[in-house]
Amino acid sequence: MAQAKIRLYLDHPLAAGQPLLLSQAQAHYLFAVMRLAAGAQVLAFNGRQGEWLAEVVQVSKRGGTLRALAQTAPQRAPPDLWLMFAPIKKARTDFIVEKAAELGAARILPVQTDFTNAERIRQDRLQAHAIEAAEQCGGTFVPEVADLAPLARSLDGWNPARQILWADESRLGAAATLAGLAAGPWAVLIGPEGGFSAPERIRLGALPFVTPVSLGPRILRADTAAVAALTLWQASLGDWR
Ligand code: SAH
């Protein structure tokens, strides 16, 4: 069986014959780690123009060049689902971003809630995780990871056309169902280890575009809750149907 081709995200226009310049890190990966030589073929995508077969034209330590040959898959966008989550410990936050990209979130928004411990995030690192997840899962879309923003401010400027599915730990044990909810633009909201504060619950409970949801009879860690809520949404209202 032929070996699966390497998939590479390139922030570069893709068209037949188009030369594609590699960054030093990409060149290191392709030529030093994977030992590709001139003529080897890889798959490239830029998040906008589908997936393309490309061949190695020039090998160099500092960079090198590919040439795009032909499109192998059309561009596919995930449903209009955002993930809002309160960042937790580094490895678990990385996990949340990686899984959100795999599960088909269109945008990832870290939010600072009353009980969020993290003061800042490394947006560039998290974005790199989203790119790696897209490369690995066969996707042609890379969700944007936004910078950390206070939840209160995100809610102040919220477009009410986008509904929020609030994973509400106080509904523990209720049926975890999205029955009766309509497809459309949504955002899933997951709290931190400490859950949501009383003022946050009052505010979220009063917003007409917020729907609280249970994630079953057990308290899930925030990283598990993010995966569970995205799965529930995708299966009920998203592109798993
Ligand atoms: N410390 C809190 C739990 C926080 S769990 C407590 O003891 O109540 C972290 C986040 O995951 C929660 O804020 C919520 O968004 C989500 N979550 C975890 N388990 C859940 C459940 N069974 N139902 C709904 N949301 C849940």
Side-chain angles (χ1 to χ4, degrees):
M1 208 174 85
Q3 211 188 327
K5 286 196 180 63
I6 293 169
R7 299 185 84 249
L8 208 58
Y9 170 83
L10 292 167
D11 185 13
H12 204 294
L14 291 166
Q18 173 83 47
L20 309 170
L21 302 182
L22 296 169
S23 69
Q24 192 163 345
Q26 288 166 332
H28 177 77
Y29 174 66
L30 292 184
F31 308 137
V33 180
M34 301 310 288
R35 306 250 157 220
L36 297 191
Q41 295 189 333
V42 300
L43 295 170
F45 65 103
N46 62 9
R48 306 183 299 275
Q49 291 169 297
E51 180 193 78
W52 286 71
L53 184 66
E55 69 175 357
V56 176
V57 174
Q58 190 216 342
V59 175
S60 137
K61 275 216 171 85
R62 296 262 179 82
T65 325
L66 309 177
R67 180 169 48 227
L69 300 176
Q71 195 180 43
T72 46
Q75 180 61 29
R76 280 187 50 192
D80 194 357
L81 173 65
W82 294 0
L83 172 67
M84 269 197 287
F85 75 100
I88 41 177
K89 290 199 189 78
K90 187 164 137 303
R92 290 180 184 275
T93 299
D94 291 352
F95 174 93
I96 290 176
V97 169
E98 179 182 298
K99 298 312 157 201
E102 285 177 46
L103 290 165
R107 205 163 164 237
I108 301 171
L109 298 100
V111 289
Q112 205 161 19
T113 64
D114 289 346
F115 297 152
T116 302
N117 301 321
E119 304 258 294
R120 62 184 100 82
I121 52 157
R122 285 280 309 274
Q123 189 276 339
D124 55 335
R125 271 191 32 148
L126 293 178
Q127 187 65 69
H129 277 289
I131 288 173
E132 243 176 71
E135 287 175 339
Q136 179 268 319
C137 75
T140 49
F141 179 88
V142 177
E144 178 213 354
V145 182
D147 237 323
L148 186 63
L151 174 64
R153 203 198 298 153
S154 304
L155 293 177
D156 287 344
W158 198 260
N159 172 1
R162 179 178 301 278
Q163 303 191 65
I164 295 179
L165 189 67
W166 169 28
D168 174 7
E169 64 271 9
S170 78
R171 294 183 59 88
L172 188 75
T177 171
L178 306 190
L181 299 177
W186 278 91
V188 159
L189 172 62
I190 306 290
E193 281 151 21
F196 292 96
S197 71
E200 283 170 341
R201 324 192 123 273
I202 290 169
R203 176 149 193 218
L204 286 166
L207 290 170
F209 49 82
V210 172
T211 303
V213 70
S214 158
L215 296 176
R218 287 164 291 271
I219 294 189
L220 308 177
R221 298 189 78 127
D223 44 349
T224 316
V227 170
L230 290 171
T231 302
L232 185 64
W233 190 93
Q234 283 287 30
S236 310
L237 303 174
D239 64 8
W240 293 18
R241 287 176 293 167

